[in-house]
Amino acid sequence: MKIARKPMKADVPSVAMGDIAFNLLIFFVILARAQDDTHVRWEPAKAIGVQPNASSRVSVVIDTNGKIHLNGRQIGEVQLAEAIKGLLGSQPEGKRTVLLKVHRTAPAEKFEPVIEAISQAGGEMVHVLNQEVKE
Amino acid sequence: MRTRRGLSKLLVEPAAVATGDIAFNLIVFFLVCASSQPSTGRRQDLPSSEKSKQEQQNKSIEVSLTRSATMVTVNGDPMKSVEFPARIVRLLSQKQRPEDRVVIVKSTPDTPYQHWIDITSQIQDAGGSITIQREEQRTEVVGQ
């Protein structure tokens, strides 16, 4: 007579699901930070009639100290045009948007060369601004 | 004694599975809170340098900006910034061809961005297209 063995359970503990989700999230957050510039300090200028921005692969920031950052990494004025050109690659028109974030008090000697570099690289420039509220 | 036994049966620990979900939701919440950068802006098309040089040969409107946010110079004529929108609309209305509607913007090195964006936005709203003219910066070493 055969003794029927009790079937053994081999379930994955459901507690681990939360940990897996957590690790996946951290992985994607780290991946996303490669193009992130949230750590750069700048204060946007205000303007009337601003529109929602299209998504963009390239963003240039001039921070409170007048330093230039391309996709969150500090870069020199001279290398900027070539670097933007490289990032835009052979994207067609309409997909060559470059977000320009300039600190509101930055002087023309800082932002004009950046505007020129974006233009040289064939980028479609969008100034990131806040909506001006008139009282 | 009977009462105590009844209470111990009611104390049920929350499922450990839920802690992961709580952590996940907390992270999503803080990520959403952290991304508070503005998502609005203004598109600006600058003509390519060759094209703009050709256009500059024609008689274009010239706007000069300085550090002072209250003053603007249009074709050499200084005026208050509040008077500028009406003036630029009047000047551009005289120009019919798109290539004549180019406005050359000259700024002193200390012109703040806020002032620059105010004026260039007004030019765009009036139907003008902007060209930046920068002074070439040259460093010359004078004999020691």
Side-chain angles (χ1 to χ4, degrees), chain A residues 12-13 22 26 31 71-72 75 85 91-92 99 102 113 120 128:
Chain A
V12 178
F22 184 82
I26 287 171
L31 212 68
N71 283 350
I75 190 167
K85 212 179 265 183
Q91 293 281 329
L99 297 178
V102 184
Q120 266 176 28
V128 178

Side-chain angles (χ1 to χ4, degrees), chain B residues 97-116:
Chain B
R97 295 186 306 164
E99 57 264 34
D100 293 338
R101 298 173 76 89
V102 173
V103 179
I104 301 164
V105 179
K106 285 182 180 176
S107 312
T108 55
D110 56 356
T111 305
Y113 179 69
Q114 179 66 68
H115 183 38
W116 190 90

Side-chain angles (χ1 to χ4, degrees), chain B:
Chain B
M1 286 297 278
R2 197 181 292 162
T3 325
R4 201 176 288 162
R5 199 184 299 156
L7 268 175
S8 65
K9 273 184 185 172
L10 282 172
L11 285 171
V12 180
E13 275 190 28
V17 190
T19 54
D21 297 338
I22 293 162
F24 184 81
N25 281 306
L26 277 171
I27 289 163
V28 171
F29 171 75
F30 285 116
L31 276 178
V32 170
C33 284
S35 57
S36 62
Q37 291 227 343
S39 57
T40 51
R42 219 183 155 94
R43 185 172 284 275
Q44 202 171 63
D45 300 313
L46 274 100
S48 63
S49 49
E50 279 178 31
K51 199 180 161 191
S52 62
K53 271 179 193 166
Q54 278 181 344
E55 282 159 355
Q56 279 169 31
Q57 285 171 358
N58 305 327
K59 186 73 186 158
S60 300
I61 302 163
E62 201 177 284
V63 175
S64 303
L65 306 175
T66 58
R67 188 183 170 84
S68 166
T70 54
M71 293 300 289
V72 186
T73 307
V74 182
N75 291 335
D77 179 21
M79 62 171 64
K80 286 180 183 171
S81 296
V82 285
E83 294 165 359
F84 178 75
R87 178 73 181 269
I88 196 74
V89 167
R90 199 169 65 242
L91 284 170
L92 285 169
S93 65
Q94 294 161 9
K95 313 239 177 205
Q96 301 303 317
R97 295 186 306 164
E99 57 264 34
D100 293 338
R101 298 173 76 89
V102 173
V103 179
I104 301 164
V105 179
K106 285 182 180 176
S107 312
T108 55
D110 56 356
T111 305
Y113 179 69
Q114 179 66 68
H115 183 38
W116 190 90
I117 204 80
D118 285 343
I119 298 299
T120 54
S121 301
Q122 285 162 3
I123 295 168
Q124 274 191 306
D125 292 345
S129 60
I130 298 148
T131 300
I132 298 171
Q133 200 175 72
R134 286 206 303 143
E135 284 175 27
E136 274 187 38
Q137 289 178 348
R138 246 185 271 166
T139 313
E140 286 180 23
V141 181
V142 183
Q144 293 166 353

Side-chain angles (χ1 to χ4, degrees), chain A residues 11-28:
Chain A
D11 286 342
V12 178
S14 54
V15 187
M17 290 310 217
D19 298 339
I20 293 163
F22 184 82
N23 282 307
L24 274 171
L25 197 81
I26 287 171
F27 170 74
F28 286 115

Side-chain angles (χ1 to χ4, degrees), chain A residues 59-118:
Chain A
S59 89
V60 182
V61 188
I62 299 178
D63 69 9
T64 48
N65 299 316
K67 285 175 183 157
I68 305 163
H69 302 260
L70 176 64
N71 283 350
R73 287 182 191 172
Q74 202 178 319
I75 190 167
E77 193 184 296
V78 185
Q79 300 99 35
L80 191 63
E82 278 304 310
I84 295 170
K85 212 179 265 183
L87 286 168
L88 290 173
S90 55
Q91 293 281 329
E93 259 185 54
K95 289 190 174 178
R96 301 181 69 84
T97 306
V98 177
L99 297 178
L100 177 61
K101 304 170 181 182
V102 184
H103 183 62
R104 61 197 302 271
T105 59
E109 63 181 342
K110 295 281 178 195
F111 66 77
E112 278 189 341
V114 173
I115 291 171
E116 224 169 48
I118 295 169

